[in-house]
Amino acid sequence: MKKNIAIVTGGDAAERSVSLQSAKNIASEMNSDKYNIFILELNKGKFTLQGTDNQIDLNDFSLNINQTQLTFDLVYLMLHGHPAEDGHLQGYFKLIGMPYTGCNLFSSALTFGKQATKDVLIKYQIPMASSYLLTKNISWEKDELLKLGLPLFVKPNKNGSSYGVSKVKKAEELTKAINLAFEYDDEVVVEAFLSGTEFSNGVFRKGNEIIVLPITEIISENEFFDYKAKYENQSQEITPARLSEDLTAKCKAQTKLIYEVLGCSGVVRVDSILVGEYFYFLEVNTIPGMSDTSIIPQQTKAYGLTVSELLDCVIEEGLKRPIY
């Protein structure tokens, strides 16, 4: 029998529009011979069947359609930012015994914090830029932050799609950049600038095997790989990346290590920047974009899989995971 799959998307975070684009794409790519597909949109705390007023019963995450109760075999999480990428929904689904895709509560909560992720990975000799973590309402010393050198990056600690991120070139720009980042989060990371080429590498599980996808080289037309570069075609993305065999192997091995150390599941994207012979870790995306122009679909096709086959792997992993 077909499985009922609920694609959860939307949300009230800054990345809402990106989530909606990704959900639309994966719904079109999922195998309709295997799955009955329902897009559920989260808006102001309420889940509704997209395009209708039919609201989810949060007691068991079921849907009443024409006086018939519809239940789901699995939730495919395609919602960027809060409350999916930070683990909140995963905790709820585990409590009610609902299978879901991707990382569990702990891994999601950990990786959603950029600085906490770095604090874990640094123990595994993974290169990364020096940084400071600032907390709202706690004072910080400008001179201390400037010891990182200029330029530097200022970014929300728990946010994606480069919202609130600034590249600071002059000391007098720092306070404005920090205030902007605080509009998106109550924690801000101030990070040393790294000069190099940025790369992105997807990874997922196929049964018991961890598959590392081909690497994408990113050449942004802007100051950095910001929202416009990511979603408005203001970047060049080359897959597979123009790397030597040795550097390709090094990047893929580091991606696999990060995936395992952080306890990830589902499809994940790891971003890094090549400085000399070393890949410096930037961030991990546990619910990466899946629109038709996103990096993961590009890498999947370069690997020789269809997006539909990738989604099958992610769904099968979610269905097999213990739910209690």
Side-chain angles (χ1 to χ4, degrees):
M1 291 180 63
K2 288 186 181 182
K3 299 288 187 183
N4 288 341
I5 306 294
I7 302 173
V8 169
T9 186
D12 301 313
E15 298 170 276
R16 175 181 173 83
S17 62
V18 181
S19 298
L20 292 170
Q21 291 173 34
S22 293
K24 181 180 178 181
N25 189 52
I26 65 168
S28 69
E29 294 283 0
M30 280 186 185
N31 189 336
S32 59
D33 292 331
K34 292 183 178 181
Y35 315 118
N36 297 311
I37 302 156
F38 303 86
I39 299 179
L40 304 181
E41 192 169 320
L42 175 62
N43 189 17
K44 296 180 180 178
K46 296 180 181 179
F47 296 90
T48 55
L49 182 63
Q50 193 173 62
T52 75
D53 294 325
N54 290 344
Q55 192 170 318
I56 284 287
D57 181 349
L58 292 178
N59 290 302
D60 58 3
F61 209 74
S62 65
L63 193 63
N64 191 294
I65 300 179
N66 298 324
Q67 297 184 334
T68 300
Q69 186 184 40
L70 174 67
T71 58
F72 301 102
D73 296 291
L74 174 128
V75 171
Y76 196 108
L77 288 170
M78 199 62 259
L79 193 157
H80 303 304
H82 174 76
E85 252 175 327
D86 57 6
H88 285 69
L89 277 180
Q90 290 85 337
Y92 159 65
F93 288 133
K94 189 167 181 67
L95 283 173
I96 66 169
M98 173 64 70
Y100 60 88
T101 59
C103 294
N104 63 22
L105 186 160
F106 177 77
S107 294
S108 299
L110 171 64
T111 55
F112 197 60
K114 295 179 177 66
Q115 189 61 47
T117 306
K118 291 175 67 174
D119 291 343
V120 170
L121 294 179
I122 199 168
K123 299 179 179 70
Y124 293 85
Q125 289 75 55
I126 293 172
M128 57 192 71
S130 299
S131 58
Y132 286 97
L133 180 67
L134 309 182
T135 304
K136 189 173 279 190
N137 301 324
I138 296 180
S139 62
W140 46 270
E141 295 292 332
K142 185 174 182 179
D143 290 342
E144 187 68 22
L145 299 181
L146 289 171
K147 289 180 181 178
L148 294 171
L150 289 171
L152 49 77
F153 277 105
V154 177
K155 58 185 77 172
N157 185 43
K158 302 183 292 292
N159 207 48
S161 297
S162 299
Y163 285 103
V165 178
S166 301
K167 183 179 179 181
V168 175
K169 297 179 180 179
K170 300 176 181 178
E172 55 267 29
E173 297 172 349
L174 182 58
T175 300
K176 181 180 179 180
I178 290 172
N179 289 337
L180 172 64
F182 272 132
E183 292 179 15
Y184 292 88
D185 190 17
D186 56 3
E187 293 179 338
V188 168
V189 174
V190 180
E191 193 170 64
F193 173 74
L194 295 170
S195 179
T197 303
E198 189 168 338
F199 295 89
S200 191
N201 197 194
V203 55
F204 70 101
R205 274 193 179 85
K206 185 178 182 182
N208 294 322
E209 183 183 5
I210 295 176
I211 303 291
V212 182
L213 293 168
I215 304 162
T216 297
E217 179 180 349
I218 298 165
I219 303 170
S220 176
E221 297 174 8
N222 304 326
E223 282 284 348
F224 58 95
F225 195 43
D226 61 6
Y227 182 91
K228 290 185 177 181
K230 289 176 179 175
Y231 303 112
E232 297 180 10
N233 299 318
Q234 295 185 13
S235 68
Q236 185 180 1
E237 296 165 6
I238 302 168
T239 309
R242 299 170 297 181
L243 290 167
S244 67
E245 287 186 16
D246 287 347
L247 285 175
T248 296
K250 181 183 284 189
C251 182
K252 286 187 172 185
Q254 185 164 293
T255 295
K256 184 173 184 286
L257 175 62
I258 290 169
Y259 188 84
E260 292 178 305
V261 165
L262 297 175
C264 294
S265 303
V267 62
V268 165
R269 201 186 77 232
V270 177
D271 297 338
S272 59
I273 185 165
L274 179 62
V275 181
E277 297 292 306
Y278 296 96
F279 290 91
Y280 281 70
F281 171 77
L282 294 177
E283 64 179 357
V284 58
N285 297 273
T286 56
I287 304 181
M290 289 292 290
S291 70
D292 55 358
T293 59
S294 293
I295 288 173
I296 292 295
Q298 293 177 41
Q299 294 181 353
T300 301
K301 293 167 187 174
Y303 182 76
L305 285 178
T306 64
V307 174
S308 178
E309 289 169 327
L310 171 69
L311 296 174
D312 281 348
C313 292
V314 175
I315 289 169
E316 287 168 15
E317 181 189 19
L319 288 170
K320 290 177 181 177
R321 174 168 40 201
I323 56 177
Y324 294 107

